[in-house]
Amino acid sequence: LKCTPALQVDGVEHAWSAGDAAEATKHAPGAHVHITVEGTAGDELQVSVHNSPATTTTTQLPASGFGLLGIAERITLAGGKLSHHPTPDDGYVLTAQLPWPNHDHEERS
């Protein structure tokens, strides 16, 4: 997974996006994965990962056993919230909302 530009809120959202794309690959092999990053410094960052339905039934990636639980724990530890649900097109969407401090503003104060 390549994220350009690489946004960081204490490094959490990048790790979560890569982890969630890996989860989509494991649970929906062959699916298209769309990652959306939106937000404003000083407010919050929202990262959404939507995958289309699987196109095949085999996967080569090993299961960690922590999937959604691990993602939810990392988001919660960063002060955020995670929501996830199936979509009407038989895909799946996960959305993380994370606090995004405005460090530039804090440095000027």
Side-chain angles (χ1 to χ4, degrees):
L1 174 70
K2 181 178 179 183
C3 295
T4 305
L7 295 174
Q8 291 193 2
V9 175
D10 298 327
V12 175
E13 82 293 349
H14 182 266
W16 175 76
S17 295
D20 191 57
E23 287 297 309
T25 303
K26 284 191 270 187
H27 297 289
H32 292 279
V33 178
H34 182 79
I35 300 174
T36 304
V37 180
E38 300 176 307
T40 303
D43 188 18
E44 79 175 15
L45 179 71
Q46 181 170 302
V47 182
S48 295
V49 179
H50 174 261
N51 65 270
S52 64
T55 61
T56 183
T57 58
T58 61
T59 182
Q60 301 295 324
L61 296 175
S64 68
F66 296 104
L68 285 175
L69 178 61
I71 293 168
E73 286 178 350
R74 288 190 298 276
I75 298 302
T76 300
L77 287 171
K81 299 181 284 186
L82 177 71
S83 63
H84 54 91
H85 56 84
T87 60
D89 67 353
D90 292 327
Y92 208 79
V93 66
L94 282 88
T95 302
Q97 294 173 297
L98 297 159
W100 187 359
N102 187 347
H103 294 295
D104 290 338
H105 181 69
E106 292 171 6
E107 292 173 6
R108 293 181 192 145
S109 299

